[in-house]
Amino acid sequence: MSFIDAARHRLRTLLRPAAVDRERDEEFAFHQSLAEGEHADATGDASDARYAARRAFGNVASIKEDVRWMGATRWIDQLGQDLRFASRTLRRSPVFAIVATLSIGLSIGANAAVFGVINALMLERLAIRQPTELVQIWREDGAGGREPYFTAAEFDALKTAAGLDVSFMTNASALHAEINGTSYSRLGLTAVDGGLFPMLGVVPAAGRLLTPDDDRTAAPVAVLGFASAVRYFGSPRDAAGQQITLQGHTFTIVGVLPHRFRGLYLEWPMTIVVTRNTSMQLLRNTWNPRDSTELTLVARLRAGAEQQTRMSLDGAFAGCCAKGELLPTDWGTIGPFRGDNQRLGFSDISRGIPAGKLDMRVMFGRLLYTLMAGVAIVLLIACTNVGNLLLARATVRSRELAVRMSLGASRGRIVRQLLAESMLVAAVGAIAGIVLAVWGTAALAENLPGILSVLEPFVAITPNPAVITFTAAVAVACTLVFGVVPAIRATRIDPVVDLRNGAPSSTRSGRLDRGIIAFQMALALVLVASVGLLGATLRNLRSGIGDMHPDRLLVAEVDSAGTSIPRGGERAAYDRILERLRTVPGVSSVSGTEVMPLVYMGFSTRTLDIPGFEHLNVDRLRPEDNGLGAGIIFVTPGFFATTGTGLVSGREFTDADVPGAPPAVIINEAIARQFFQGRDPIGQHIGFRGGGRALQIIGVARDVKQTDLRAPNPRTVYLARAQRRNDGDRFTFAMRTVGSAASSAPGVRAAIAAAAPEVFIRSVQPMAELVSFSVGREQALRAVAIVFSTVAVGLAAIGLYGVMAFHVTSRRREIGIRMALGADRREVVSMVMRQSLFVVAAGIALGVPLALGASSALGALLYGVSPFTTGPFVIAVAVLVGTGVIAALIPSRNASRVDPMTAIRAE
């Protein structure tokens, strides 16, 4: 039989066993009939031919069984038998089955959930045709610098290169939109080349997508993202064909993007998509005048033709753009490239275009991998606990195993049977874990706090092939971790001794049990110490806002862009709002500013002009930089008292600081320390380079973090808003409340709407929410670490209790003899406690180096605390010692109650 025929036969045996058995029976019957005929012809006695043929054949059933066992189904039959026996065995021990399955299931579920987020955010490729062919085109210079943007003229020139698939996209926002009867401001808007979606090969969820014809005719059509269609219209099908209004122009929604495709940027999903020509002709006021230069170019480098495509693009670029021929005159304000050394570069974007400082993979990558390490530790602790349970169970089942071995079962066969039980527990746990992960992440995605809310599209996992493969691999690893050692240990028995004495010939090794528990304690110490370090980090980050008392500070953002308010009329509208807010019940003081700490509205900078420091010309904000850069914030009177920022010296702005009064400025402590060492800055004068006028310092404000709680306090100057000519589009109101800030939010919204109904209310939220948003990553990580550490300590305590209880039971005769010889109960309790604390001490000795290594790995997530700070480690040690004492209380109490006579008589 050829290899192909043999493989085909084995495959058929696996897929159609009943048909193969039937054919085998027919084949045996045929050969038996031939033997009967031959015997009848040889002897002339047909009556005895059947029996003679059977005698010659031998035991037909045994031969059939031998033939069947030589086929491909032998191991499947054995596995099926083992699993059926394992299921019956586990049903007879429901408590063990439930505890083991839940322990493994919860741990595997947590691992599957975190891996699902990592896969969706970090590993999964774009849901397009052949994503590995997609690249972003860069402009490069000879010094290694890169610029990702191109002009519209450059794109048109590059697109003329024959046989090339090049397209573009650019992001902006719709200042005003009307969707399904509701008004919105600054919705995300994406302009694309009409050939982008055909190039990507995206299939719409409903309707159709934009085409080159839409771009060429500037048709007023748009495409919605899947989430936007559900949000505004309920479903993609209901959205297709509807009309929306952008900047006063009506657009027809012709299609909806598929659910799995959110756009080329993870951080900026496509909300509303229009073509370039449509955006330029109908939405001129939407785009910044320079936006036509900020096009992101993407292309396909098809397999087998990559080099040819690169050469064609380079040739097209050299012919039109390499010397900056098509760059606008103000390109120097956008990028550094102008000269003869420009060329094209390409980067893989099969997983999306990186967003620089806002790249979600950079922001959350370390967090997710840290969580993965945490759930892996919990899984390892759960596995060792189940392994300990299996060791105890194997000891109890020693007589059963002895009977099986005495009846001829080999040691390897029994090991395989016990491993089948472990595999069944792991498999059921894996299935339960995936179900829990899907349910849990779906609920979590709807309730993500603060900054983590941007992860919502990636958190709710689905059982896709990657997640299922990972979960199956984890289940197999669990089987090996907690199943192999108990299975091997269980077969180290002497059947004769076990059956004669009725007691196990091979007792459990206390050293192995205590070693397992010590390892669990060590892993638990790692998690508890991490909780302490993350708690110190969170406390240090919160201190960056000073004495704001954020729970009683309410912040309201408004926007006049795209409204009926004329340019220059913003101040009158904002003044009306200020006056109205002062009458809101529960509001004790109100102030206004364009830039509120932790409210990300932009932080304009200027270069200071300070006498004696004219030699410095570096425009940088950080105090450690030898420069003169400073952030500029315009505020109304009462700002420092209302926000709680506070002044170190001097006075606040008052109603007297008007345009005709001497220009006044308040500096922060960072400027005072750097430029006025040993001098009182009050009364001194500073200015801005190129500004032409001197500003008198009237106060010194406390340092406050403005945009990033981890960054050093930036140099900041505060100017009187009244001494500025006009306000900007956006403005922020800060209100100090008597009670809870959240309770005053409805009244504040109503007051703004009554004072200036034409402005858009972007948000009204307590400062505490903004702080939570800023520390959301650290807050979430600490909360998860608390859960992990609690579970880890609980599992370790249960394991320690189980080990000590088993050893007390197995040493009842010894304890009875000790008490008969004069040992009192306190000595027995002390003996058990010493053994328990010895295990804890061994775990601490092993765990401290592991925790130090883990804290070093956490270094990038810590702030203001060293990975080697002793406080968290001392607390972790105290927690484990307390856990050891509590876990040993019941076993030591039971040991002290042993009746010496009963224990000795029982033996």
Side-chain angles (χ1 to χ4, degrees):
M1 181 182 291
S2 67
F3 174 78
I4 296 178
D5 292 336
R8 185 166 58 247
H9 173 71
R10 286 187 172 87
L11 182 62
R12 188 166 179 269
T13 304
L14 289 174
L15 298 180
R16 302 185 61 187
V20 172
D21 286 341
R22 187 168 55 253
E23 292 174 359
R24 188 180 295 117
D25 292 340
E26 293 174 355
E27 184 178 357
F28 272 95
F30 172 73
H31 285 291
Q32 189 168 354
S33 65
L34 288 179
E36 290 178 8
E38 291 176 356
H39 184 79
D41 293 340
T43 61
D45 186 2
S47 61
D48 192 48
R50 181 179 181 185
Y51 298 103
R54 285 188 176 183
R55 286 194 298 271
F57 248 77
N59 191 334
V60 175
S62 177
I63 295 174
K64 289 181 180 180
E65 188 69 15
D66 292 340
V67 171
R68 190 170 67 87
W69 278 107
M70 288 189 294
T73 60
R74 178 179 182 180
W75 65 274
I76 295 180
D77 289 339
Q78 287 183 336
L79 179 61
Q81 290 176 1
D82 290 343
L83 290 177
R84 287 192 294 272
F85 184 79
S87 65
R88 291 196 299 269
T89 303
L90 292 175
R91 283 200 301 270
R92 288 197 298 267
S93 304
V95 175
F96 165 79
I98 292 173
V99 172
T101 302
L102 282 180
S103 298
I104 296 300
L106 290 172
S107 304
I108 289 180
N111 277 267
V114 177
F115 174 79
V117 180
I118 291 176
N119 178 64
L121 182 63
M122 311 291 292
L123 306 177
E124 202 168 45
R125 299 186 186 276
L126 294 173
I128 62 175
R129 184 183 69 246
Q130 298 295 331
T132 54
E133 295 178 354
L134 197 66
V135 296
Q136 181 182 6
I137 304 176
W138 292 80
R139 181 195 306 274
E140 297 184 347
D141 64 5
R146 299 200 307 177
E147 174 65 44
Y149 299 124
F150 292 81
T151 67
E154 288 175 327
F155 166 73
D156 291 334
L158 288 175
K159 195 172 179 62
T160 60
L164 299 183
D165 234 348
V166 184
S167 190
F168 82 86
M169 62 171 289
T170 184
N171 293 313
S173 60
L175 299 180
H176 179 62
E178 291 280 344
I179 302 178
N180 207 11
T182 305
S183 297
Y184 301 91
S185 65
R186 295 191 183 273
L187 285 182
L189 189 64
T190 304
V192 302
D193 171 50
L196 177 66
F197 292 128
M199 182 188 76
L200 297 179
V202 178
V203 179
R208 67 172 179 86
L209 301 182
L210 301 177
T211 65
D213 289 338
D214 296 325
D215 200 359
R216 183 171 52 257
T217 60
V221 295
V223 167
L224 290 186
F226 189 92
S228 301
V230 172
R231 175 186 175 188
Y232 300 130
F233 297 101
S235 71
R237 292 186 178 276
D238 294 335
Q242 298 289 337
Q243 291 186 333
I244 62 175
T245 302
L246 303 176
Q247 297 296 108
H249 298 279
T250 301
F251 285 73
T252 300
I253 301 172
V254 296
V256 178
L257 293 172
H259 175 65
R260 293 187 59 214
F261 180 75
R262 303 176 65 245
L264 298 183
Y265 286 96
L266 294 179
E267 296 74 16
W268 301 308
M270 289 181 172
T271 302
I272 304 173
V273 188
V274 297
T275 62
R276 175 184 59 163
N277 286 335
T278 303
S279 66
M280 297 304 294
Q281 293 188 27
L282 299 182
L283 305 177
R284 294 182 186 277
N285 295 333
T286 301
W287 309 96
N288 184 288
R290 296 190 318 190
D291 281 344
S292 61
T293 68
E294 298 180 358
L295 305 183
T296 299
L297 268 56
V298 295
R300 278 195 180 275
L301 298 184
R302 301 193 183 279
E306 296 180 13
Q307 190 62 30
Q308 180 181 356
T309 304
R310 290 176 186 268
M311 293 176 61
S312 298
L313 280 170
D314 284 334
F317 186 72
C320 71
C321 322
K323 297 180 180 180
E325 300 94 326
L326 299 180
L327 292 179
T329 55
D330 66 342
W331 179 257
T333 64
I334 305 175
F337 299 97
R338 181 179 292 281
D340 298 337
N341 59 347
Q342 296 184 44
R343 54 187 176 83
L344 294 183
F346 304 87
S347 60
D348 172 39
I349 56 170
S350 60
R351 293 184 174 87
I353 301 175
K357 293 182 179 179
L358 298 178
D359 192 342
M360 290 174 61
R361 293 187 178 94
V362 176
M363 292 173 62
F364 299 108
R366 186 177 292 272
L367 169 66
L368 292 174
Y369 287 124
T370 302
L371 290 179
M372 196 74 225
V375 295
I377 290 175
V378 173
L379 177 63
L380 195 55
I381 293 176
C383 287
T384 53
N385 244 7
V386 174
N388 237 354
L389 289 174
L390 288 173
L391 281 172
R393 195 160 176 268
T395 303
V396 174
R397 295 174 61 188
S398 60
R399 184 175 179 83
E400 170 202 335
L401 300 180
V403 171
R404 296 181 63 189
M405 293 181 71
S406 65
L407 292 177
S410 66
R411 184 182 178 190
R413 186 70 185 83
I414 294 178
V415 168
R416 289 199 304 272
Q417 172 61 57
L418 296 178
L419 281 178
E421 295 182 18
S422 302
M423 184 174 66
L424 185 60
V425 170
V428 175
I431 295 172
I434 286 186
V435 173
L436 291 173
V438 171
W439 287 350
T441 54
L444 178 62
E446 299 177 358
N447 299 280
L448 286 173
I451 194 173
L452 297 183
S453 60
V454 298
L455 291 176
E456 179 181 350
F458 309 99
V459 168
I461 69 168
T462 55
N464 55 54
V467 173
I468 293 176
T469 301
F470 172 81
T471 306
V474 171
V476 172
C478 289
T479 302
L480 297 177
V481 169
F482 69 74
V484 172
V485 173
I488 295 175
R489 284 280 310 281
T491 57
R492 292 178 180 174
I493 58 176
D494 186 343
V496 176
V497 176
D498 279 3
L499 293 176
R500 179 186 302 153
N501 299 334
S505 59
S506 176
T507 59
R508 295 173 64 190
S509 170
R511 183 178 301 174
L512 177 61
D513 291 343
R514 288 191 289 270
I516 292 175
I517 300 303
F519 181 63
Q520 291 181 350
M521 288 288 179
L523 296 177
L525 177 65
V526 172
L527 294 177
V528 176
S530 299
V531 170
L533 291 171
L534 293 171
T537 293
L538 192 59
R539 183 176 61 253
N540 294 335
L541 288 173
R542 289 181 179 275
S543 67
I545 62 171
D547 298 325
M548 281 190 176
H549 300 292
D551 54 327
R552 300 210 170 174
L553 183 61
L554 191 65
V555 178
E557 297 179 75
V558 298
D559 193 343
S560 63
T563 67
S564 59
I565 298 176
R567 190 64 181 169
E570 301 91 352
R571 176 159 298 183
Y574 298 155
D575 285 341
R576 292 197 304 271
I577 295 174
L578 274 170
E579 292 302 320
R580 192 61 176 259
L581 289 176
R582 292 190 175 98
T583 65
V584 175
V587 174
S588 58
S589 63
V590 182
S591 183
T593 178
E594 284 192 348
V595 179
M596 185 74 184
L598 305 183
V599 179
Y600 304 99
M601 294 175 57
F603 195 59
S604 12
T605 63
R606 294 283 297 276
T607 302
L608 297 176
D609 188 2
I610 301 178
F613 294 90
E614 292 82 2
H615 61 286
L616 298 180
N617 58 8
V618 181
D619 186 13
R620 293 178 182 173
L621 288 177
R622 297 182 303 177
E624 62 268 26
D625 292 327
N626 189 22
L628 287 166
I632 309 299
I633 300 179
F634 290 90
V635 300
T636 66
F639 173 81
F640 297 97
T642 300
T643 61
T645 305
L647 296 177
V648 177
S649 61
R651 67 171 179 87
E652 281 210 45
F653 296 114
T654 66
D655 293 334
D657 295 307
V658 293
V665 65
I666 296 175
I667 63 175
N668 71 337
E669 293 177 287
I671 295 177
R673 282 193 301 269
Q674 185 172 359
F675 301 112
F676 296 94
Q677 296 179 2
R679 295 185 297 158
D680 183 5
I682 304 299
Q684 303 292 327
H685 289 79
I686 63 174
F688 298 111
R689 293 199 175 173
R693 63 173 183 167
L695 307 171
Q696 184 180 21
I697 299 175
I698 63 171
V700 177
R702 291 193 179 94
D703 286 337
V704 175
K705 303 294 176 65
Q706 295 294 336
T707 58
D708 187 355
L709 291 176
R710 288 179 173 270
N713 294 308
R715 290 187 288 265
T716 310
V717 298
Y718 300 88
L719 300 173
R721 175 228 186 193
Q723 294 183 334
R724 187 186 187 190
R725 180 175 302 175
N726 291 314
D727 290 329
D729 293 336
R730 299 187 187 183
F731 202 73
T732 303
F733 301 95
M735 291 146 282
R736 180 64 60 181
T737 61
V738 177
S740 168
S743 62
S744 300
V748 167
R749 284 185 175 274
I752 295 174
E758 61 272 33
V759 304
F760 295 111
I761 302 175
R762 296 181 62 85
S763 67
V764 177
Q765 55 187 333
M767 188 68 185
E769 292 184 8
L770 295 172
V771 175
S772 295
F773 184 88
S774 299
V775 298
R777 182 179 62 176
E778 291 78 9
Q779 199 168 5
L781 184 57
R782 190 191 67 155
V784 174
I786 290 174
V787 174
F788 289 169
S789 61
T790 302
V791 172
V793 171
L795 290 174
I798 293 172
L800 179 60
Y801 164 77
V803 167
M804 298 311 299
F806 180 85
H807 282 287
V808 166
T809 302
S810 63
R811 297 173 61 187
R812 287 177 61 87
R813 184 170 182 271
E814 174 195 340
I815 294 173
I817 293 174
R818 286 175 179 270
M819 297 184 71
L821 294 177
D824 59 18
R825 292 188 174 184
R826 285 183 301 177
E827 292 177 341
V828 174
V829 170
S830 176
M831 177 187 69
V832 177
M833 280 292 183
R834 281 198 307 271
Q835 293 176 350
S836 174
L837 293 179
F838 175 80
V839 174
V840 174
I844 292 173
L846 177 62
V848 168
L850 293 177
L852 288 174
S855 61
S856 298
L858 280 175
L861 295 173
L862 303 180
Y863 176 78
V865 58
S866 168
F868 307 107
T869 303
T870 58
F873 293 94
V874 172
I875 295 174
V877 169
V879 168
L880 290 188
V881 171
T883 300
V885 171
I886 294 173
L889 281 177
I890 296 178
S892 60
R893 181 185 176 191
N894 292 339
S896 68
R897 292 183 175 180
V898 171
D899 184 352
M901 296 304 298
T902 303
I904 297 174
R905 188 181 300 117
E907 294 294 332

